[in-house]
Amino acid sequence: MTLLDERSTPEGPKPVFEGTKRWGEQTMLYVMVILPFLAFAAAIPVAWGWGLSWTDAILFVVFYIISGLGITVGYHRLFTHASFKANRPLRIAMAVAGSMAIEGPVIRWVADHRRHHAFSDRDGDPHSPWRFGESTTGMLKGFWFAHLGWLFDLDHTNRDKYTPDLMADQDIRRVDALFPVIFLVSMFGPALLGGLITMSWTGALSAFFWASLVRVFLLHHVTWSINSVCHMIGERPFTTRDKSANFWPLAILSFGESWHNMHHADPTAARHGVLRGQIDESARVIWLFEKFGWATDVRWPKPERIDKLKVVK
C-alpha cells in the first residue's frame, strides 16, 4: 500500500496527509526563503562598505544560539524524539526558542520530521535526496529537493497521525498557535535592540540585516543541509537502514546535528556526537539542563549500545 492509497477509516490508519497549504502559507514561505537569501548575497558588499559592528555581531550570535538550540534541543531532541523529559517551563521555553528559528510551528515541524524517520530514504520520506535515483542528474535534482524544494510541497503531514502527544499538550498547542507573534519577535527583536543600544535608526537597520535576515538564512541552510548533505556525503560508522552520514564540517554550526549517521542509528539518543573528538553542543546543553534539575530521564547512549551499532569491518 502506498502513501497515496492510504485512507482514514474507523478501523484503519490515519492518512499521512491532512490537507494542503493555504495561499498565505505558501506566500510567506517564498518570502522567508528569498528575502534572507538576498540579504546573504548582499552581506559581503555591505560588510565591506559599512562594516560589521560589535552590536550586530553580538546580536547575531545570541539570536543564532537561542534559535538554533531551540531547533536542535527543543524541536528535534525533545519534542520529536523524546530524548529527555523537561519540566513545564523548559518545554515552553524550548518550543518558543525553536519557533524563533522561523522554520515553522513546532507541531508541524515535528510531524514532518517524524515522517522522515518513518520512511527515511524510502518512498514517503518528505525530503530524501535519493528519490530521483543515483544518476548525476538524479542526484542534482535530489539534492535540490532535499535541501529546499520539499518545503514547497502543498501537502501537509497529518499531525493527528504523527504528533498526537503534542496535539494533546495545551502548552505546546498555544506556542504553536502563537508562531506568527514569535515570528515577529524573532525578526524585529534584533532591530529594536540594535536601535536602543545605538540610539539610532542606522543601528536598528544594521541589526535587522545581520541578526535577523542573515542569521535566519544561515540557520535555515545549516538545518536544510542536515536533510541534504548529511544523507549524501560523509562517514557512516554506524549501521542504519538509510544513507544518513556524519559530516564534520557542519558540527559546530549545527550544534552537533551533523553527526547524523549516529542519530539515525539511535534516534532517541540525547547525544549524537558519540565518538572521540565529535563536538555536540546540544548534548552539552541537555547535560546542563539535567544538572539544574530541569531535564530528567535523559537517554544518554551507553558504550555497549554504541559498540553494538558500529559497522562490522
Side-chain angles (χ1 to χ4, degrees):
M1 178 181 291
T2 67
L3 292 177
L4 296 178
D5 292 331
E6 190 176 283
R7 296 290 185 269
S8 178
T9 66
E11 299 79 17
K14 294 183 176 68
V16 170
F17 303 110
E18 61 169 291
T20 59
K21 294 175 184 175
R22 297 186 295 271
W23 177 86
E25 290 179 288
Q26 282 292 80
T27 300
M28 284 306 300
L29 179 58
Y30 277 99
V31 170
M32 289 314 302
V33 168
I34 295 172
L35 190 59
F37 173 79
L38 295 176
F40 185 79
I44 293 177
V46 167
W48 184 269
W50 296 353
L52 177 64
S53 71
W54 280 108
T55 299
D56 296 332
I58 291 171
L59 288 173
F60 176 96
V61 170
V62 168
F63 274 82
Y64 186 91
I65 291 174
I66 291 173
S67 55
L69 289 174
I71 288 292
T72 63
V73 176
Y75 272 29
H76 193 202
R77 304 192 195 193
L78 173 59
F79 296 119
T80 302
H81 296 293
S83 296
F84 63 99
K85 293 180 180 178
N87 62 21
R88 187 185 181 197
L90 181 59
R91 282 178 64 82
I92 295 172
M94 286 290 96
V96 171
S99 300
M100 290 178 66
I102 319 297
E103 295 185 12
V106 54
I107 299 178
R108 179 71 61 204
W109 195 101
V110 171
D112 285 334
H113 196 70
R114 287 181 179 175
R115 181 158 69 94
H116 163 62
H117 275 268
F119 300 99
S120 185
D121 288 331
R122 296 179 291 126
D123 181 34
D125 186 340
H127 46 63
S128 173
W130 299 94
R131 66 165 46 204
F132 300 107
E134 300 185 22
S135 67
T136 301
T137 301
M139 292 301 296
L140 289 173
K141 288 174 62 178
F143 176 84
W144 160 255
F145 180 83
H147 192 77
L148 182 59
W150 75 278
L151 293 170
F152 298 97
D153 277 355
L154 292 177
D155 291 316
H156 271 318
T157 300
N158 191 338
R159 292 168 297 177
D160 287 328
K161 178 181 180 69
Y162 288 101
T163 57
D165 53 328
L166 300 184
M167 294 291 284
D169 188 320
Q170 292 302 313
D171 290 328
I172 302 306
R173 291 200 66 164
R174 288 191 188 97
V175 175
D176 189 86
L178 286 171
F179 178 75
V181 176
I182 301 171
F183 168 92
L184 294 175
V185 171
S186 180
M187 289 302 294
F188 296 104
L192 177 61
L193 292 172
L196 291 174
I197 292 170
T198 64
M199 294 305 293
S200 70
W201 287 105
T202 300
L205 180 60
S206 184
F208 175 71
F209 180 85
W210 290 106
S212 294
L213 296 180
V214 176
R215 181 258 309 183
V216 166
F217 174 88
L218 180 61
L219 184 56
H220 278 184
H221 282 272
V222 168
T223 300
W224 299 338
S225 292
I226 305 303
N227 300 335
S228 56
V229 176
C230 292
H231 274 265
M232 298 178 73
I233 303 170
E235 298 179 344
R236 297 180 174 91
F238 299 103
T239 302
T240 64
R241 65 179 185 179
D242 53 41
K243 297 188 178 183
S244 55
N246 292 340
F247 188 67
W248 68 264
L250 284 174
I252 294 177
L253 285 177
S254 70
F255 302 106
E257 292 290 280
S258 70
W259 307 119
H260 204 54
N261 177 246
M262 170 57 193
H263 170 55
H264 272 260
D266 193 3
T268 63
R271 180 183 293 114
H272 298 178
V274 298
L275 302 179
R276 184 181 297 276
Q278 293 184 340
I279 299 172
D280 189 342
E281 305 102 303
S282 296
R284 180 57 61 178
V285 169
I286 296 171
W287 178 83
L288 287 173
F289 288 160
E290 185 180 39
K291 292 300 179 183
F292 286 132
W294 303 341
T296 57
D297 298 330
V298 182
R299 297 181 177 182
W300 297 118
K302 295 179 172 57
E304 56 271 24
R305 171 68 172 164
I306 295 171
D307 290 338
K308 184 177 180 180
L309 292 171
K310 287 181 178 178
V311 173
V312 178
K313 296 182 180 179

